[in-house]
Each structure stands twice: as C-alpha cells, then as structure tokens.
Amino acid sequence: MKISITWLNDYIKTGVPVDRLIHKLTMAGLEVEKTETVAGDTVLELEITPNRPDCLNMLGMAREVSAILNKTVKKPSLPEIKYPKEKCPVEIVDKEGCTRYIGTVIKDVKVAKAPQAMQQRLAAIGLRPINNIVDITNFCLMETGQPLHAFDYDKLEGGKIIVRRAKKGETIITIDGELRELDPSVLVIADAKRPVAIAGVMGGQETEVTGKTKNILLESAYFDPVLIRRAARKSGLSSDSSYRFERGVDFQMVENGCTRAIALIQELAGGEIEQRQDLCLAKKKKVGKAVTVSLAQINGLLGAALTTTQCKTILKKLEFDVVSKKGQPLPGDRPQILKVTPPTFRNDIHQAVDVVEEVARVVGYDNLPLSLPHITVSNVPAKNTRDLKETLRQALIAQGFCETVTYALTNQAALEKCLLGELKGVRVQNPLNQDQEMMRPAVLPNLLPVAVTNINRGQKDLRLFEIGKVYTDKEEKEVVAILMSGTRGDDWRATQKNVVDFYDIKGVAAALFAKSGVAWSLSSTKCPQTVDVFVGKKQAGKLGHINRKVLQNWDIKQKDLFFAQIDLLAFETNKKVQKYKSPSQHPAISRDISLAVNKEVSFQNVLDLIHNLNPQHLVDVTFKEQYLGEKIANDQRGIIFSLVYQSTKRTLTDDEVSSVHQQICQALVDNLKATIR
C-alpha cells in the first residue's frame, strides 16, 4: 500500500517530520518498507497485514495517523443526492457471491482529462491517469477503499446488468487487452448477452469508458472475498480492486464510496442521474459485536499505567464506540470498565485482547515500559523419550549408521510396492500431491527411495536409520527403522568381501536392546525372511530380509537388503537398572565346549539352559564357531563356544572350575541331546 504525504495532508495535518511519522507508523504495527520521492511528493510504501483492509485507503491511514498523533481528521463531505424513482435494471442471480449491488446510470457526461491535482495524486502512488471518469473511480478507491467500476452504458446489450457465474466456454477481453477463458466458478458482471467484467477483478475492454462515452453506469458492490480470490487466481489477474475485495471491504462503504464518486463525477464531468437501484440482500451491518475490557486488563497485559481517559481517547480516534461502566475503582481514576464496540470496517476485533492491542500499538510499542515477567521456578523433568532417542541415535551412529529424515507422508502405491497394501494409513483430505496422500503406517516405503537414490549413485554399502512416527487407523507411535545392505566392512586385509546377512541386522537390534538393558526375543531362531521382535510377550516390531519382489518393484538391483522396525517404547519397557560392577583383580579361566546338536537347537537354547543352571563363578559365554560338513551327521551341526570363569575375591583353582564345567556339559547332554565332541 502506497500513501502520498501530499494526499494525506488533504485530510490531516501531521505537523511532524516524515521520518518521525515513519517511526510512529512502524511502532503502531504499520511497517513502512520504503520511501520514495515522486514529483516533489514523498510516498511511503507500507506492509499492511491481511487482517487490516481498513488501512488500504487514504482515509483509513488518516484515521490511524489521527490516533497516533492525537489530531483531527477532516473527511470529505458527502452531499445528499436526490435520486430518481426510475430503477437501473440490475439482477443478482448469484445471491451468495454478491450481497449488495448499487447501479447508477448517469447520462450526458463529458469525458475529458481529470484535474491536475487528482492526476498528480494518482500518479504519485503508481496509477496512470486515463480520463476524468476512470480517474474518479480510482481516486475514490484509494480514498475510501471501496472499488468502483464505470461501464459505457450504451455498449451494454439490453441496457442491463446481471451478476452471475460464468458459463462454460465464455470468454472476455479484459481492459489489459488479454483474451481470457472464464471458468464456471468465476463470478462475472454480464449484460443481456455476454460477460462485461470479471466481478471485483477487472472490467472488459468492450464496455470501457473512452473519450466517446456519453452515458455511464457506475457500479459499487460487495462481493464474496473467497470468490474474488479464486477468480483472481484462476484468471491470473491481480488488481487494486481484487486486492481489497479478497480481504473484505466495508459493507457500509459500498454506498458512501458510490456517493462520493457520483458527487465528483457531477462536479468534474457533469451529467444527470437517470436511473438508480440499490439491491441489498443482507442486513446493513451498523456496528460490530461489543467487547468488554477492564482497565486492569489493559495495564496488566501491557505492564503500563494508562488511565481510562487515555484509553477512551485512543479508541474513539479509531472510531470505536466506547461506553464507560463502573467497576472496581482504583484511586484517582474511575470508571474502570469499558464497553467497546468496533466499527463495521474492523472485523478483526472479537475479544478483550484485541482491544488491548489497539491501545498498545497506538501508544507505541517503544513507549511501553520495560519489565521482566514474573517467573515461578519449577522443576520440569526431562521427557524420557527424548533421552531414549538420543541414546539409540548415538548407539546406531557408533555402529556406522547414518540418520535419515523423510516425510511422514506416503501413498497407497508405495505401500503396494512394499507388499504392505493391507496397512491402513490415515488419509489426508486435501493432499498437496498424489505422493503424499496419507500419513505413513510404516517407514519402509520412505526409506527404500533413499536406498534407491544412493545405490543408483554407486553407494551400495548402506547403513541407514530413522527415528520417527508411524500412523495407523488405531494409533500413532514412534519407531526405530534400520536398513542395511552391501558388505560388512572395507578391510584391505580381507581376501573376500563378506556381505551383510540376517545376523547382522539381528546384531544391530541386539546392541540397541543391550544398550537399553531390555530383555528381548525373536519369534524364530532360524534365518527366515522376517521374524517378529518380542519384549516379554508383547510384539514390538519385525526384522529380517526384504522380499525380493519388493526389491524388483523398486528397481533395486542389489540382491539383499535387510530392514528392521521396532517400537521406540520397547526399549524402555521392563528396563533393568544397570549397576556398576568393579572388574575382578583375579585371573579368569576359559574353557571351550564343542557340541554336536540337532539343527533345530539354537545357540539361544544353549544360553538359556546354561543361565538357568546359574553356575558358580561363570561370568561370560561366547559363541565362537559353527561347523557343517562331512564329519558330522546331516541333521546336526557342530558349535563351539567359550565359557569364562572368574571370582572377584580370589584366584580359582582348576578343580573348582572343572567341577562346575562338568555340570554344565552334563546338563547340555541330558537336556539338548547333545554330543560332546
């Protein structure tokens, strides 16, 4: 919004230097972005927030300046015009899109140049002077904030106006010379035959006022802001009129703006009013809803010591209706309660804090006293999940993983490609695009595109993880997702590159549970496609090999990818308190056991059996080797593991260790049908 200081002085004499005025406006929430000099006139360009359309005109800015500087505004007088009884033929078909339309036919006007003063004021704010009729509509728009449009009445087919939606296939050549196809959702002003204007946006070239115009029809209306915004976007047009209509013009100004323009037209272009019609389909809103605010509220929120008189003066300057009421008195100043009714052009005032803000910005934010808020010290415990996330994050990074952050949105096609089509995601009602039509019910559809991007660029040894949320139709929860592929490590000493397998992803999960001190288990001890992860008896996730069909769907050429998704809260369920134990200063004794066991027997079975025996002095059991070959039966496998014995009090003897070790060996033979090799 540009304002001319010369034009502003027509309504209010500021009496302060321009730089002082700029500072005052900025401190009142009307930020001045830049200034320029145009033909000796100083022009300010302001950033007006969308909730303040009342400031998008000269009278609105004069009102603001009068409150800030405590000066009086001199508004232009509106004459009482006697209108003829003959009605202008206006029909409103779309009664929701247009709730008020005033059509005035003025005949025998003389189209010429506008007065020099008017041309200068328009040119200063960037509007090109055209002729007196068009310039008057632009002048009144910028003065009052009410958009107006003048049609060449003789060029209107049937001499009538119809406010309706555009018909399919209709077009219009707007006054900028562009042929535009009209969407059926667009509100138009039409005559008996065709559209002659895009309502609230721009008029048509065929009915514009030229030097040959003799009779005009002046339009002043109230259009639905949503429709105007939609029409401006669909047509790719933005005008001074649409900028104000889509933010909401003052309903009362529809008539006042029209009256001001008619008075200027008769003064500068002559003519007689022959027809007039004011179609109003809504109640003429006189005032807004009253808001009650106390002086204690105002001073309490601002930390100030304003008086009732000061507050009333400010609000009345802004054209609020203020009525004093007796409340709880304070020494030297009463009454203490204000009933404040906003004017029709302030639709953003709804509650007491809105009124307080009006007082604050007019006083000036830089003039409010500085004070520290009263802070009560309290102990706010840290959220456990935050620490847990950081613990898991550091544990994964220590194992060579890189963290990814992907969108929490996905689509049904991605789920189908992952063979997860049965999962019920939470649908988005208005998705930005087809790829983000639902909240993700799993992380795999988001991590696989990351894997594809890396693999296609030669990065095949992937270690990726993400800590984030998944969403189902029943719940929202946080999970840890892990993806692995490629070789185990780049070691120049290794003669053969070993690729990661099921036990690598299992080992990563085991390290995380060990870090958290949580006991966990798998639904199977074999190496199937995927297995369920359990904490206690509750399923907490899955881990394993990604189906080859999924890799084909994502066009991933690598043979093996492994993935795990585990609930975040599983890592703090049944969490054991970890206690520090001093290392023993006495030597340890290690004994190996080589067993031949049935292939169905897992090493976990061996561990569970040994720990259940609770053997004395046993401190560690480590798996060392597995053997499958000619020297062992086809239905069996050989396993070798090491047991470590140690005491914290003394050095153990060979006999003590042998006795305990023999008991363990015998238990393995008896319970697992194992053979000592």
Side-chain angles (χ1 to χ4, degrees), residues 5 32 61 135 151 222 242 297 352 359 386-387 558 675:
I5 296 298
V32 179
M61 289 306 305
D135 289 355
F151 297 97
Y222 184 92
S242 67
Q297 280 180 288
V359 174
R386 180 177 180 180
D387 294 337
Q558 280 193 221
T675 303

Side-chain angles (χ1 to χ4, degrees), residues 403-421:
E403 184 174 11
T404 66
V405 179
T406 62
Y407 287 116
L409 296 161
T410 187
N411 58 79
Q412 187 64 36
L415 289 175
E416 299 288 350
K417 288 169 70 174
C418 293
L419 305 183
L420 298 173

